[in-house]
Amino acid sequence: MEGIVSSFQYPLMFRAIVLIAICAWASLLSHKCISNFNDGARPVFPELMSGRMSRPEFAVVVTGMGFGWVLAGFSQWLGTGLIACHLTLIATDCIGSWSPNRWFALSLGGLYGALCAFGTNMINEAFQMLPYNFLNDLTQISTPALPIFCVFPAIAIAAQFGAKKGIITAVIEAVIYILCTVVGAINFGSFSVSLYPYTFAMLAGMICLIVYSVSGGKTAESIENDAEEENLFAKNAARIKSNWLYLGIQGGLNALGIHILAQAYQPYILAGAILDGNMGTFQLSMIGVIIAFIPLIVSTSLATGVYQAVGLTTCMLVGTLAPTWWLALILGFAVEFLELQLLGLLGKGLSKFPELSKSGDHIRDAMISCIGLALTIGSFLAANAIWGAVGLMIVGAFYVLNDAIGQRLPKTAVGPIAAVVVGILYNIMVAIGVVTLA
């Protein structure tokens, strides 16, 4: 189906086994407070580890913070045909938090992985049985994703360093985008380098962010941690490193998962790269994502002693670069191990550049804002394709009402969910004869 990844190199059973292993292992590590995917929930883990919060209390908080993101992951699958990390790894955060022991975590996580692997096919078949199959219309949800997402560095810079620098960065990104569009590729003899407009524009923005952060750090005092805080960071770094085998296995499974497309990271970008037959777009985007997330992941990990379920996301990059599935597994393990060895060094480096250290939250917020806007616009496009003005009205009502009641659903989820509701209502109207298919 156009716009949705439906052809896979590896058989479903192999992808299912890998996804079951990913979900089972991630649930175990969440249960043991070794790693989790939801950056916002990570600061809650020390509350359980220290005994200040009971497991049921802890589980309620983690689930409450993650439920909307699981729905967002489901909508990403609908729009791309790829099982997103938000659908798997945030759910396993919740499964691990509720599990009374490690065996429950492994078992329930594995069952959830099987549900994701086989359930998506069942949902796809259910769509085909509808009077009007609107699955292809939902692919329009991802249409604005890349153009809007690539400007997140400019948004982060505006929030941290002011509107003027943000606008300058946006102009630089636009110029880079236009140049890449015009030039297309650079040839070195028989070797050609394609200039992907979105990814090179985003990388230019990230370079601007680093330059502003480092230059800003020269005029600011470096972060001086007191002895107690230094001791806490060292203790947490040591705890994370001591779990190198658990985390290495997780890195290997994640790399394998993305290599065989059992699980996707940044699915809207990945799906486009797959359908275009060139993974360079995704791989260059991942370099920008890795750079962007270092401050956030390193700081929250050292503050809590709990690592990110996909590490610094380098496992996802090497997973797509690996020539074979078994090399993806090995390379994923290796880069995760290397990350852990560099964790303390990265933390010390960030402390010398206060503005770079502070950029993590701004980057995360900018990414969420950009992708939220993109998915909202895409949801209007999808709803219009399904049911015209009525679809637009329903999505608009969902968005405004969600905002009015305090954003019970994340902005990245409310639009796609509303578009799905439009499709369901449209099919009901067709079934009872109120609407006639053209």
Side-chain angles (χ1 to χ4, degrees):
M1 193 179 301
E2 184 181 355
I4 290 182
V5 177
S6 56
S7 298
F8 296 89
Q9 179 183 356
Y10 295 89
L12 174 60
M13 189 54 66
F14 183 32
R15 288 184 281 121
I17 291 171
V18 172
L19 191 58
I20 289 168
I22 289 171
C23 291
W25 198 251
S27 295
L28 173 65
L29 268 57
S30 172
H31 170 78
K32 292 172 68 68
C33 297
I34 293 175
S35 70
N36 84 303
F37 186 71
N38 189 345
D39 295 311
R42 193 164 305 121
V44 184
F45 279 73
E47 299 299 307
L48 175 69
M49 293 155 62
S50 64
R52 293 190 293 270
M53 186 178 283
S54 68
R55 182 163 289 278
E57 292 172 331
F58 166 73
V60 167
V61 174
V62 172
T63 303
M65 296 179 73
F67 181 72
W69 293 111
V70 175
L71 293 177
F74 180 73
S75 69
Q76 289 175 38
W77 171 78
L78 290 175
T80 64
L82 298 174
I83 297 175
C85 287
H86 283 85
L87 182 60
T88 54
L89 297 181
I90 287 198
T92 55
D93 285 352
C94 304
I95 291 169
S97 68
W98 283 105
S99 299
N101 57 57
R102 65 184 65 184
W103 303 114
F104 266 87
L106 282 167
S107 301
L108 293 176
L111 286 172
Y112 180 76
L115 176 64
C116 289
F118 297 109
T120 48
N121 276 351
M122 294 170 59
I123 293 170
N124 193 26
E125 291 173 1
F127 269 98
Q128 294 176 13
M129 296 170 61
L130 293 172
Y132 176 74
N133 184 349
F134 61 96
L135 190 56
N136 192 50
D137 294 331
L138 292 178
T139 63
Q140 294 200 37
I141 292 173
S142 63
T143 299
L146 265 179
I148 295 177
F149 181 76
C150 74
V151 300
F152 81 82
I155 307 303
I157 288 170
Q160 187 172 0
F161 300 105
K164 181 180 178 180
K165 291 181 178 178
I167 293 170
I168 292 171
T169 303
V171 171
I172 291 172
E173 288 198 55
V175 171
I176 295 296
Y177 177 90
I178 294 169
L179 285 175
C180 290
T181 303
V182 173
V183 176
I186 299 177
N187 298 314
F188 300 94
S190 60
F191 182 71
S192 178
V193 177
S194 297
L195 301 178
Y196 305 107
Y198 298 126
T199 49
F200 276 91
M202 184 180 71
L203 286 174
M206 283 307 303
I207 291 171
C208 290
L209 177 61
I210 293 171
V211 169
Y212 287 137
S213 298
V214 172
S215 61
K218 291 180 180 178
T219 58
E221 296 181 1
S222 62
I223 300 173
E224 295 294 339
N225 299 322
D226 57 32
E228 184 178 353
E229 190 173 9
E230 288 282 2
N231 183 54
L232 174 64
F233 282 5
K235 182 179 177 181
N236 287 336
R239 180 182 190 271
I240 293 171
K241 288 182 181 180
S242 70
N243 291 312
W244 65 271
L245 183 58
Y246 286 105
L247 293 167
I249 292 172
Q250 186 168 49
L253 288 173
N254 282 327
L256 173 59
I258 198 168
H259 180 86
I260 68 172
L261 299 183
Q263 176 181 257
Y265 191 81
Q266 299 288 343
Y268 290 108
I269 301 174
L270 180 58
I274 293 168
L275 294 170
D276 290 341
N278 194 327
M279 292 297 291
T281 304
F282 174 76
Q283 289 157 353
L284 285 171
S285 295
M286 279 307 305
I287 293 173
V289 170
I290 290 167
I291 295 170
F293 273 133
I294 284 176
L296 176 66
I297 294 172
V298 170
S299 59
T300 57
S301 297
L302 290 177
T304 62
V306 180
Y307 203 46
Q308 162 60 254
V310 293
L312 300 178
T313 70
T314 52
C315 60
M316 297 299 183
L317 175 61
V318 300
T320 63
L321 289 170
T324 63
W325 67 265
W326 56 269
L327 266 178
L329 185 65
I330 294 171
L331 291 174
F333 186 100
V335 296
E336 195 82 0
F337 179 79
L338 181 61
E339 284 180 14
L340 299 180
Q341 306 316 305
L342 295 174
L343 188 60
L345 185 62
L346 288 171
K348 289 180 180 179
L350 288 174
S351 69
K352 297 183 184 299
F353 298 99
E355 295 302 328
L356 189 59
S357 182
K358 295 175 186 176
S359 67
D361 288 336
H362 294 293
I363 290 169
R364 180 190 61 189
D365 292 343
M367 283 183 167
I368 292 173
S369 296
C370 287
I371 202 67
L373 175 61
L375 296 182
T376 299
I377 295 172
S379 299
F380 277 105
L381 295 176
N384 184 60
I386 296 169
W387 203 356
V390 177
L392 294 174
M393 180 187 69
I394 294 172
V395 173
F398 259 77
Y399 186 85
V400 173
L401 287 172
N402 183 64
D403 196 51
I405 62 175
Q407 292 185 13
R408 300 292 178 86
L409 293 174
K411 287 186 176 181
T412 53
V414 63
I417 290 171
V420 173
V421 171
V422 170
I424 293 171
L425 291 175
Y426 184 70
N427 273 279
I428 292 173
M429 294 298 104
V430 171
I432 63 178
V434 174
V435 174
T436 303
L437 290 175

